[in-house]
Amino acid sequence: MFGDPIARNFVSGATLNDRLFSLLVFLHIAIPLFLLAGMFIHIKRLKLPRTNPGRAFSAATCAAMTLVALAHPATSMAPADLTTTPALVQFDWVYLNVYPLLDYSGPAMVWGLVGAITLLLIVLPRLSPARSEQLAPAVVDPDNCNGCTWCFQDCPFEAIVMMPHDYKSGMRQAQVNADLCTGCGICAGACPSATPFRHVDELVSGIEIPDYPLQRLREEAAAALRRLDPGQGIVVFGCEHGADVNALSGQQVAALRLPCTAILPPSFVDYMARQPAVSGILISGCHPQACHYRLGSEWVSQRLAGERNPHLRTADGRSKVEQCWAGPLEAGKLADAVAALRRQSQSPEQNANGGREPGAASGTQRSEVS
């Protein structure tokens, strides 16, 4: 597009002036500034975006590039001389990779191809099947919202703001921006009213995901407990975007797969740990370094460690819970963690009697979440 006019400036030294170089300097500054503005718009909807790779990956890349540079260094050509025509110009495949296509087609074809590839890269994320699986935005229930701000602090996408309460004078409540909410449920797991210890017919918390309400979690947990023998069961909570915990379901393993592990309130872990049928609880999900919802795995770890509200409050919850963060291709790692938790939770008497304490029920007795 600009090749011919710019080339004319290099016909002789007399045609080169400061205006050409000031124009080139402006382009080298203005274009990156526009790119920076576009990047700002791109990451504005994501809180704490990770734009830098991990240290190990950075070190490996630096070492590889150093070895390649030593083995095949990039060298410059001789200084420019406008009085001579170079017989051979080395081709730069990094910056000029589309130029060979000009030998087979015209500039219009090359520009069209580059434009089509750019458009494809723009549209490709919107074609992802994950977009259709996104849950509905979170909904606030003013009757159960006490304005604690825990959901506001935990939302990785800045989709929650605090505002004056609808009818409680002097109090605040959460408000969800549906355009920014991804339906991850991290806020639901942070709500202090999301506890199964409440004596209500239908459990409703201050903020919930309509597609996966707290009542559904309680019902699925109750169904899972009914399948376990007293003192023998392992409960596994997993994430839809991590290793598939449903494959672990068996006679003595109850698996519950959640949209995000962070949707699980720690009070639910306390409640499950106190049930007679449960000997251990395993919390799983995406790797903290590659969490599908940015900070879900990290927030869960901090809640279980008592470093973030809400946190575990019972001795059973703290003693029976283990964590295993496994990706979609690490089912074996998750299975090994379940086996290790089973060995850890069994007493010497259980191991001596084939995994059952003397006098324990044969399996007809069940435990149920009330």
Side-chain angles (χ1 to χ4, degrees), residues 91-148:
F91 189 78
D92 191 330
W93 284 97
V94 175
Y95 293 104
L96 307 177
N97 49 75
V98 298
Y99 271 65
L101 296 178
L102 294 173
D103 295 337
Y104 303 97
S105 60
M109 181 66 70
V110 175
W111 277 108
L113 177 62
V114 172
I117 294 176
T118 303
L119 182 62
L120 176 63
L121 294 177
I122 294 174
V123 175
L124 197 59
R126 302 182 179 276
L127 302 179
S128 171
R131 290 180 60 87
S132 59
E133 300 172 0
Q134 180 173 312
L135 299 181
V139 175
V140 176
D141 183 1
D143 291 338
N144 291 284
C145 181
N146 62 6
C148 66

Side-chain angles (χ1 to χ4, degrees), residues 185-209:
I186 294 177
C187 56
C191 186
S193 64
T195 169
F197 291 100
R198 294 169 57 191
H199 298 287
V200 291
D201 294 334
E202 183 177 1
L203 189 57
V204 179
S205 65
I207 184 169
E208 292 193 2
I209 302 299

